[in-house]
Amino acid sequence: MRKITLISGIVFLLILGFFLIIHYLNNKKDLLNFKISKGYISLKKVDYKFFKKGVLAYEIFSKGLNYRSQKEEVIKLNGVNAYIYGKNKKPAYIITGKFGRLNTVSKNIIISGDVIIKYARGVRMKTNMIRFFVKENKIIAPGYMEIRGKNYFISGKMLIIYIKKGIFILRKDVHFISYKHNNKNSGEITG
């Protein structure tokens, strides 16, 4: 008799605990870092990985995500860190910005708001907005851009970065300052 009473008491407590957890989760929808309502999803702390032909192409970390519906095809991100991987499977470019937009169909990314691009070779770029085109494997920054290397500073507009080739082109209003102290290599070039 004591065993039956003990077992039924334990079962009762388990059932009561289960319903208390369900009730708590229904009242605290963002407990597990996400909220779901009609046609809207909100997440805290996102790690999104995109693979191209079985190889990691880029990874996005975000402090928050908002997704309205499948009709919009855009995921809005807050506090973005993007890692774009190169040939050696290590991040070739690390991009940070305040906001991001990820197209769910094309997988292209727009990052805006105090955008910083760090290139593996010690180059640091600063702009207000970039677009990363996955299929073409290039980054475009249409506005003003500052580029700092160990021995130079470049500014201008309309930057294009070809990721596979590891080269960048600055197309408009280009200004170049070299910090080397050799007489032959120092100077300023504007164009």
Side-chain angles (χ1 to χ4, degrees):
M1 182 75 165
R2 286 185 180 177
K3 288 183 181 180
I4 294 173
T5 307
L6 181 63
I7 292 172
S8 60
I10 291 172
V11 169
F12 175 76
L13 288 175
L14 289 173
I15 292 171
L16 179 64
F18 174 76
F19 283 108
L20 285 173
I21 290 171
I22 296 292
H23 175 74
Y24 184 74
L25 290 175
N26 283 338
N27 291 330
K28 287 279 210 177
K29 290 183 181 179
D30 63 348
L31 173 70
L32 301 173
N33 289 330
F34 71 92
K35 244 188 238 185
I36 300 176
S37 60
K38 293 180 183 177
Y40 185 81
I41 297 173
S42 177
L43 292 170
K44 298 176 185 175
K45 294 185 181 178
V46 177
D47 179 3
Y48 175 82
K49 295 179 182 181
F50 176 71
F51 292 85
K52 190 174 177 182
K53 297 180 182 177
V55 178
L56 184 60
Y58 67 81
E59 186 171 18
I60 298 175
F61 298 93
S62 175
K63 293 178 183 174
L65 171 147
N66 295 312
Y67 182 57
R68 272 267 171 226
S69 70
Q70 292 180 349
K71 291 179 183 177
E72 280 190 31
E73 299 174 349
V74 173
I75 296 173
K76 296 177 183 175
L77 305 165
N78 297 315
V80 179
N81 287 320
Y83 293 78
I84 299 175
Y85 291 87
K87 294 177 185 176
N88 60 0
K89 298 180 183 178
K90 292 183 181 178
Y93 298 91
I94 299 172
I95 305 170
T96 59
K98 290 182 180 177
F99 308 103
R101 294 173 62 89
L102 170 65
N103 186 301
T104 59
V105 176
S106 68
K107 307 301 182 197
N108 294 340
I109 307 166
I110 297 172
I111 300 175
S112 60
D114 298 328
V115 177
I116 303 291
I117 303 170
K118 294 178 184 175
Y119 182 52
R121 297 182 183 155
V123 176
R124 182 182 169 102
M125 304 175 191
K126 184 177 178 182
T127 189
N128 194 43
M129 192 264 297
I130 64 106
R131 296 173 190 261
F132 172 48
F133 296 93
V134 176
K135 190 175 181 181
E136 295 86 7
N137 217 9
K138 68 181 176 181
I139 297 170
I140 295 179
Y144 177 76
M145 170 68 69
E146 292 180 353
I147 303 168
R148 294 187 187 276
K150 293 178 184 176
N151 299 315
Y152 61 87
F153 173 81
I154 304 170
S155 65
K157 295 179 183 173
M158 193 57 202
L159 174 80
I160 300 173
I161 300 173
Y162 296 96
I163 294 169
K164 284 187 178 180
K165 295 177 184 177
I167 62 170
F168 63 88
I169 299 170
L170 200 53
R171 293 194 165 197
K172 295 180 182 176
D173 302 327
V174 178
H175 300 277
F176 176 86
I177 299 172
S178 174
Y179 298 127
K180 288 189 178 183
H181 295 290
N182 288 339
N183 290 334
K184 293 180 182 178
N185 295 330
S186 63
E188 183 174 335
I189 299 172
T190 60

